[in-house]
Amino acid sequence: MDHFLYRDGTLFAEDVPVAEIAAQVGTPFYCYSTATFERHFRLFDEALEGTDHLVCYAMKAASNQAILKTLAALGAGMDVVSGGEYARAKAAGVPGDRIVFSGVGKTCEEIHAALTGGIRQFNVESEPEMAAINQVALELGVKAPITIRVNPDVDAKTHAKIATGKSENKFGIPISRAREVYAHAASLSGLDVIGIDVHIGSQLTQLEPFRLAYEKVAELTETLRADGHNIRRLDLGGGLGIPYERSNEAPPLPVEYGAMVKETLGHLGCELEIEPGRLIAGNAGIMVSKVIYVKEGEDRQFMIIDGAMNDLIRPAMYEAHHDIIPVVEAAPGEEPATYDIVGPVCESGDTFAKGRTMSEVKADDLVAFRSAGAYGAVMASEYNSRPLIPEVLVKDDQFAVIRPRPTFEEMINRDTIPEWL
């Protein structure tokens, strides 16, 4: 569910007409709904009710300070994967004991910043990383809390570029080597080994891969405890998908996911962490764009819009689908049209949809890309010297620009000219 609905034929974001935002901010832009962020976080929190748990929002989905503050106010923790994300979480007022540091390439500088600034735990991805964390912790005279990410070799049945739990993926240590690696970790005096971490991929639309992975984690927990390790926290990652195509069968609900977690892991008495990103942010945002031209091709019509692949790269990178709707609904009885929907970047990959049937549009009409809140703005670039597009947050009948569109001058002035030129 989201809070982008038609009223009297016009698309609203909560209680604000989307066209009104476009008139003030210009296009393209991202628009987020506070109510949707809050609702989706609470769905996960309530799904694990009755357990000792923390919902850590995966910041890589959307990391604007206003979004982080909105979720932090509800008690969310943060899952970060870089020093920059850690700094963003801290700047948003999230305490260190609610920040989990994931990611396969943590540097000593990032480890130092987290240990001095406060951290809930590091999710360790490799033995060299474990050695680095131990070294920095010893230099600082502290113990670093860690979980070790195990790779359960479970097929998440998702897109190959966002699968993370198979043996050929770069993430974690093979679960077959877990006892050996945990024994080594216990021998390092700068580490406090507190638990197990697992994450098998993103945009999962079935519970069975989760179940298979968590059953392996449950078995490993018992084995490691028998070996003398005090396993008291399980970080289960994120990955639950959202329905990008409204006509498709909906993925499992958070309450169904929560019931499965309790069934597979509830008997262990561990604190549970989950790290949803897409399901919290995806349907909380839309990208709004304006039609520049409708072009007649040899055998098709092209809808050329002012949004481009640098603004929303998911279709080009993942062949991802987004429902694309008019901001003003078609009049009753109006015949639909079929378009290839493309941006202005000079690459054939700058294509959002092919053969998409929808309401007929003309130049200057507005269209909205649904489910664009996750991996939209955070993956955007200034390719073709196109400015990063604004982010707007709506709450009830108010809206605010939470990241402005830079001017060409601001973009150019970031360049530094050498003295010899």
Side-chain angles (χ1 to χ4, degrees):
M1 175 185 172
D2 60 44
H3 292 77
F4 300 98
L5 302 170
Y6 286 109
R7 296 184 191 174
D8 298 324
T10 298
L11 188 66
F12 274 66
E14 298 191 21
D15 295 323
V16 180
V18 169
E20 180 180 313
I21 302 174
Q24 294 192 38
V25 176
T27 57
F29 65 91
Y30 281 101
C31 179
Y32 306 115
S33 158
T34 296
T36 308
F37 275 117
E38 292 177 338
R39 179 179 184 274
H40 290 172
F41 172 81
R42 289 192 176 106
L43 286 175
F44 272 110
D45 204 32
E46 292 165 2
L48 293 179
E49 190 174 5
T51 69
D52 184 7
H53 70 275
L54 180 66
V55 179
C56 293
Y57 169 63
M59 280 176 52
K60 60 183 175 286
S63 60
N64 190 287
Q65 289 284 286
I67 293 170
L68 304 186
K69 280 184 170 290
T70 296
L71 295 171
L74 301 176
M78 297 290 157
D79 171 51
V80 307
V81 294
S82 71
E85 286 193 349
Y86 177 82
R88 277 183 171 273
K90 293 286 284 185
V94 182
D97 62 5
R98 294 208 326 245
I99 302 175
V100 172
F101 206 134
S102 302
V104 300
K106 305 177 191 71
T107 66
C108 288
E109 292 77 14
E110 290 173 327
I111 295 164
H112 185 281
L115 285 175
T116 54
I119 195 71
R120 181 176 179 83
Q121 83 219 25
F122 294 98
N123 291 338
V124 174
E125 294 268 2
S126 67
E127 291 162 281
E129 180 193 310
M130 191 163 64
I133 295 173
N134 180 64
Q135 176 186 334
V136 176
L138 291 175
E139 290 170 355
L140 292 172
V142 300
K143 273 189 173 287
I146 70 164
T147 68
I148 297 174
R149 180 171 178 175
V150 295
N151 187 322
D153 194 23
V154 168
D155 184 357
K157 302 186 185 304
T158 187
H159 193 286
K161 291 183 180 178
I162 51 177
T164 62
K166 297 172 70 176
S167 59
E168 68 260 30
N169 298 137
K170 67 181 180 180
F171 301 94
I173 62 162
I175 198 168
S176 60
R177 294 192 59 235
R179 295 180 71 187
E180 171 193 345
V181 176
Y182 271 85
H184 178 55
S187 72
L188 300 177
S189 58
L191 304 181
D192 179 16
V193 184
I194 62 173
I196 303 170
D197 172 45
V198 67
H199 175 60
I200 60 173
S202 184
Q203 187 53 20
L204 275 70
T205 56
Q206 303 171 30
L207 288 181
E208 189 59 22
F210 287 117
R211 181 182 296 278
L212 292 173
Y214 296 167
E215 286 173 348
K216 291 187 176 186
V217 168
E219 182 179 351
L220 178 61
T221 300
E222 301 281 19
T223 299
L224 293 176
R225 283 175 170 173
D227 288 346
H229 301 284
N230 183 13
I231 303 299
R232 51 199 185 273
R233 184 178 295 166
L234 302 178
D235 185 317
L236 306 178
L240 196 59
I242 65 173
Y244 281 103
E245 296 187 56
R246 303 291 160 145
S247 59
N248 283 7
E249 184 179 354
L253 297 172
V255 67
E256 297 168 322
Y257 169 82
M260 182 272 300
V261 168
K262 294 174 187 177
E263 180 185 338
T264 54
L265 301 167
H267 64 287
L268 296 169
C270 288
E271 181 183 19
L272 303 176
E273 292 170 347
I274 58 172
E275 297 162 357
R278 187 190 309 269
L279 202 146
I280 289 178
N283 287 334
I286 59 175
M287 186 182 82
V288 180
S289 187
K290 183 172 69 175
V291 178
I292 304 174
Y293 305 114
V294 175
K295 172 184 172 180
E296 292 292 339
E298 179 85 17
D299 59 353
R300 67 195 63 205
Q301 286 193 108
F302 294 95
M303 182 199 303
I304 304 171
I305 62 174
D306 61 2
M309 62 187 290
N310 68 293
D311 304 314
L312 179 62
I313 201 170
R314 295 189 69 257
M317 179 174 282
Y318 303 121
E319 302 85 39
H321 175 100
H322 287 270
D323 282 345
I324 304 170
I325 61 172
V327 168
V328 177
E329 280 189 303
E334 185 175 305
E335 287 296 319
T338 301
Y339 303 99
D340 282 10
I341 302 173
V342 302
V345 164
C346 295
E347 295 199 20
S348 295
D350 187 23
T351 298
F352 294 108
K354 291 186 175 182
R356 185 71 62 89
T357 299
M358 57 180 290
S359 302
E360 188 172 5
V361 298
K362 61 185 183 304
D364 295 329
D365 283 353
L366 299 174
V367 295
F369 288 66
R370 284 194 172 275
S371 305
Y375 307 105
V378 288
M379 297 183 78
S381 74
E382 292 179 343
Y383 185 46
N384 279 193
S385 288
R386 292 170 48 84
L388 292 174
I389 67 177
E391 293 177 272
V392 174
L393 182 65
V394 171
K395 182 175 175 59
D396 301 324
D397 60 355
Q398 306 174 74
F399 73 90
V401 176
I402 58 175
R403 184 184 72 183
R405 191 190 319 272
T407 65
F408 291 137
E409 290 75 16
E410 288 169 334
M411 294 168 59
I412 293 167
N413 288 340
R414 291 200 299 267
D415 298 348
T416 302
I417 308 297
E419 292 181 1
W420 63 79
L421 292 176

PDB file of all heavy atoms in Angstrom, residues 243-247 321-325 356 368-371:
ATOM      1  N   PRO A 243       5.651  -5.414  -4.930  1.00  0.00           N
ATOM      2  CA  PRO A 243       5.007  -5.660  -6.230  1.00  0.00           C
ATOM      3  C   PRO A 243       5.206  -4.496  -7.187  1.00  0.00           C
ATOM      4  O   PRO A 243       4.428  -3.545  -7.205  1.00  0.00           O
ATOM      5  CB  PRO A 243       3.529  -5.835  -5.848  1.00  0.00           C
ATOM      6  CG  PRO A 243       3.367  -4.991  -4.622  1.00  0.00           C
ATOM      7  CD  PRO A 243       4.679  -5.035  -3.894  1.00  0.00           C
ATOM      8  N   TYR A 244       6.260  -4.544  -8.003  1.00  0.00           N
ATOM      9  CA  TYR A 244       6.490  -3.468  -8.969  1.00  0.00           C
ATOM     10  C   TYR A 244       5.411  -3.440 -10.037  1.00  0.00           C
ATOM     11  O   TYR A 244       5.090  -2.373 -10.561  1.00  0.00           O
ATOM     12  CB  TYR A 244       7.873  -3.637  -9.617  1.00  0.00           C
ATOM     13  CG  TYR A 244       8.999  -3.163  -8.743  1.00  0.00           C
ATOM     14  CD1 TYR A 244       9.800  -4.063  -8.048  1.00  0.00           C
ATOM     15  CD2 TYR A 244       9.280  -1.805  -8.604  1.00  0.00           C
ATOM     16  CE1 TYR A 244      10.839  -3.623  -7.243  1.00  0.00           C
ATOM     17  CE2 TYR A 244      10.310  -1.345  -7.808  1.00  0.00           C
ATOM     18  CZ  TYR A 244      11.090  -2.253  -7.131  1.00  0.00           C
ATOM     19  OH  TYR A 244      12.115  -1.817  -6.325  1.00  0.00           O
ATOM     20  N   GLU A 245       4.874  -4.598 -10.398  1.00  0.00           N
ATOM     21  CA  GLU A 245       3.785  -4.657 -11.368  1.00  0.00           C
ATOM     22  C   GLU A 245       2.495  -4.947 -10.616  1.00  0.00           C
ATOM     23  O   GLU A 245       2.352  -5.990  -9.978  1.00  0.00           O
ATOM     24  CB  GLU A 245       4.046  -5.740 -12.412  1.00  0.00           C
ATOM     25  CG  GLU A 245       5.277  -5.473 -13.264  1.00  0.00           C
ATOM     26  CD  GLU A 245       5.413  -6.465 -14.403  1.00  0.00           C
ATOM     27  OE1 GLU A 245       4.457  -6.586 -15.199  1.00  0.00           O
ATOM     28  OE2 GLU A 245       6.465  -7.121 -14.486  1.00  0.00           O
ATOM     29  N   ARG A 246       1.580  -4.028 -10.673  1.00  0.00           N
ATOM     30  CA  ARG A 246       0.349  -4.150  -9.880  1.00  0.00           C
ATOM     31  C   ARG A 246      -0.457  -5.379 -10.273  1.00  0.00           C
ATOM     32  O   ARG A 246      -1.241  -5.899  -9.494  1.00  0.00           O
ATOM     33  CB  ARG A 246      -0.511  -2.903 -10.056  1.00  0.00           C
ATOM     34  CG  ARG A 246       0.202  -1.611  -9.675  1.00  0.00           C
ATOM     35  CD  ARG A 246       0.430  -1.523  -8.181  1.00  0.00           C
ATOM     36  NE  ARG A 246       1.492  -0.580  -7.859  1.00  0.00           N
ATOM     37  CZ  ARG A 246       1.504   0.190  -6.790  1.00  0.00           C
ATOM     38  NH1 ARG A 246       0.509   0.147  -5.927  1.00  0.00           N
ATOM     39  NH2 ARG A 246       2.517   0.994  -6.542  1.00  0.00           N
ATOM     40  N   SER A 247      -0.263  -5.851 -11.504  1.00  0.00           N
ATOM     41  CA  SER A 247      -1.040  -6.999 -11.968  1.00  0.00           C
ATOM     42  C   SER A 247      -0.467  -8.320 -11.455  1.00  0.00           C
ATOM     43  O   SER A 247      -1.123  -9.354 -11.537  1.00  0.00           O
ATOM     44  CB  SER A 247      -1.087  -7.013 -13.498  1.00  0.00           C
ATOM     45  OG  SER A 247       0.230  -7.084 -14.030  1.00  0.00           O
ATOM     46  N   HIS A 321      10.926  -3.253 -13.995  1.00  0.00           N
ATOM     47  CA  HIS A 321       9.630  -2.699 -14.384  1.00  0.00           C
ATOM     48  C   HIS A 321       9.176  -1.683 -13.344  1.00  0.00           C
ATOM     49  O   HIS A 321       9.267  -1.907 -12.143  1.00  0.00           O
ATOM     50  CB  HIS A 321       8.583  -3.813 -14.479  1.00  0.00           C
ATOM     51  CG  HIS A 321       7.197  -3.315 -14.771  1.00  0.00           C
ATOM     52  ND1 HIS A 321       6.652  -3.356 -16.039  1.00  0.00           N
ATOM     53  CD2 HIS A 321       6.244  -2.773 -13.973  1.00  0.00           C
ATOM     54  CE1 HIS A 321       5.434  -2.859 -15.999  1.00  0.00           C
ATOM     55  NE2 HIS A 321       5.161  -2.493 -14.758  1.00  0.00           N
ATOM     56  N   HIS A 322       8.663  -0.552 -13.833  1.00  0.00           N
ATOM     57  CA  HIS A 322       7.935   0.401 -12.989  1.00  0.00           C
ATOM     58  C   HIS A 322       6.621   0.705 -13.677  1.00  0.00           C
ATOM     59  O   HIS A 322       6.601   0.990 -14.892  1.00  0.00           O
ATOM     60  CB  HIS A 322       8.723   1.703 -12.808  1.00  0.00           C
ATOM     61  CG  HIS A 322       9.904   1.592 -11.907  1.00  0.00           C
ATOM     62  ND1 HIS A 322       9.834   1.802 -10.547  1.00  0.00           N
ATOM     63  CD2 HIS A 322      11.186   1.266 -12.166  1.00  0.00           C
ATOM     64  CE1 HIS A 322      11.030   1.628 -10.011  1.00  0.00           C
ATOM     65  NE2 HIS A 322      11.866   1.295 -10.971  1.00  0.00           N
ATOM     66  N   ASP A 323       5.532   0.648 -12.939  1.00  0.00           N
ATOM     67  CA  ASP A 323       4.274   1.138 -13.493  1.00  0.00           C
ATOM     68  C   ASP A 323       4.415   2.634 -13.739  1.00  0.00           C
ATOM     69  O   ASP A 323       4.948   3.368 -12.880  1.00  0.00           O
ATOM     70  CB  ASP A 323       3.124   0.878 -12.525  1.00  0.00           C
ATOM     71  CG  ASP A 323       2.650  -0.571 -12.552  1.00  0.00           C
ATOM     72  OD1 ASP A 323       3.000  -1.292 -13.503  1.00  0.00           O
ATOM     73  OD2 ASP A 323       1.939  -0.985 -11.617  1.00  0.00           O
ATOM     74  N   ILE A 324       3.975   3.101 -14.902  1.00  0.00           N
ATOM     75  CA  ILE A 324       4.071   4.508 -15.279  1.00  0.00           C
ATOM     76  C   ILE A 324       2.656   4.998 -15.545  1.00  0.00           C
ATOM     77  O   ILE A 324       1.941   4.430 -16.383  1.00  0.00           O
ATOM     78  CB  ILE A 324       4.972   4.700 -16.513  1.00  0.00           C
ATOM     79  CG1 ILE A 324       6.360   4.101 -16.237  1.00  0.00           C
ATOM     80  CG2 ILE A 324       5.083   6.176 -16.879  1.00  0.00           C
ATOM     81  CD1 ILE A 324       7.259   4.024 -17.460  1.00  0.00           C
ATOM     82  N   ILE A 325       2.237   6.014 -14.818  1.00  0.00           N
ATOM     83  CA  ILE A 325       0.836   6.450 -14.869  1.00  0.00           C
ATOM     84  C   ILE A 325       0.776   7.949 -15.136  1.00  0.00           C
ATOM     85  O   ILE A 325       1.703   8.694 -14.805  1.00  0.00           O
ATOM     86  CB  ILE A 325       0.098   6.125 -13.553  1.00  0.00           C
ATOM     87  CG1 ILE A 325       0.758   6.841 -12.376  1.00  0.00           C
ATOM     88  CG2 ILE A 325       0.050   4.618 -13.328  1.00  0.00           C
ATOM     89  CD1 ILE A 325      -0.013   6.721 -11.071  1.00  0.00           C
ATOM     90  N   ARG A 356       4.494  -0.100 -23.940  1.00  0.00           N
ATOM     91  CA  ARG A 356       3.664   0.112 -22.751  1.00  0.00           C
ATOM     92  C   ARG A 356       2.353   0.785 -23.155  1.00  0.00           C
ATOM     93  O   ARG A 356       2.361   1.865 -23.753  1.00  0.00           O
ATOM     94  CB  ARG A 356       4.425   0.966 -21.732  1.00  0.00           C
ATOM     95  CG  ARG A 356       3.695   1.157 -20.396  1.00  0.00           C
ATOM     96  CD  ARG A 356       3.663  -0.117 -19.558  1.00  0.00           C
ATOM     97  NE  ARG A 356       5.005  -0.556 -19.197  1.00  0.00           N
ATOM     98  CZ  ARG A 356       5.660  -0.165 -18.110  1.00  0.00           C
ATOM     99  NH1 ARG A 356       5.092   0.683 -17.267  1.00  0.00           N
ATOM    100  NH2 ARG A 356       6.868  -0.646 -17.842  1.00  0.00           N
ATOM    101  N   ALA A 368       4.025   9.702 -13.738  1.00  0.00           N
ATOM    102  CA  ALA A 368       4.651   9.299 -12.478  1.00  0.00           C
ATOM    103  C   ALA A 368       5.086   7.842 -12.568  1.00  0.00           C
ATOM    104  O   ALA A 368       4.323   6.985 -13.042  1.00  0.00           O
ATOM    105  CB  ALA A 368       3.675   9.487 -11.318  1.00  0.00           C
ATOM    106  N   PHE A 369       6.300   7.585 -12.126  1.00  0.00           N
ATOM    107  CA  PHE A 369       6.840   6.232 -12.019  1.00  0.00           C
ATOM    108  C   PHE A 369       6.564   5.731 -10.606  1.00  0.00           C
ATOM    109  O   PHE A 369       7.111   6.265  -9.641  1.00  0.00           O
ATOM    110  CB  PHE A 369       8.353   6.225 -12.273  1.00  0.00           C
ATOM    111  CG  PHE A 369       8.756   6.452 -13.688  1.00  0.00           C
ATOM    112  CD1 PHE A 369       8.519   7.675 -14.317  1.00  0.00           C
ATOM    113  CD2 PHE A 369       9.398   5.454 -14.409  1.00  0.00           C
ATOM    114  CE1 PHE A 369       8.904   7.905 -15.620  1.00  0.00           C
ATOM    115  CE2 PHE A 369       9.788   5.667 -15.725  1.00  0.00           C
ATOM    116  CZ  PHE A 369       9.536   6.891 -16.330  1.00  0.00           C
ATOM    117  N   ARG A 370       5.733   4.724 -10.493  1.00  0.00           N
ATOM    118  CA  ARG A 370       5.427   4.175  -9.175  1.00  0.00           C
ATOM    119  C   ARG A 370       6.602   3.362  -8.636  1.00  0.00           C
ATOM    120  O   ARG A 370       7.476   2.924  -9.364  1.00  0.00           O
ATOM    121  CB  ARG A 370       4.186   3.278  -9.249  1.00  0.00           C
ATOM    122  CG  ARG A 370       2.867   4.047  -9.358  1.00  0.00           C
ATOM    123  CD  ARG A 370       1.699   3.114  -9.082  1.00  0.00           C
ATOM    124  NE  ARG A 370       0.427   3.802  -8.996  1.00  0.00           N
ATOM    125  CZ  ARG A 370      -0.051   4.387  -7.900  1.00  0.00           C
ATOM    126  NH1 ARG A 370       0.680   4.401  -6.797  1.00  0.00           N
ATOM    127  NH2 ARG A 370      -1.229   4.967  -7.922  1.00  0.00           N
ATOM    128  N   SER A 371       6.563   3.150  -7.335  1.00  0.00           N
ATOM    129  CA  SER A 371       7.531   2.277  -6.640  1.00  0.00           C
ATOM    130  C   SER A 371       8.973   2.665  -6.959  1.00  0.00           C
ATOM    131  O   SER A 371       9.823   1.821  -7.189  1.00  0.00           O
ATOM    132  CB  SER A 371       7.285   0.808  -7.014  1.00  0.00           C
ATOM    133  OG  SER A 371       5.951   0.445  -6.762  1.00  0.00           O
TER     134      SER A 371
END
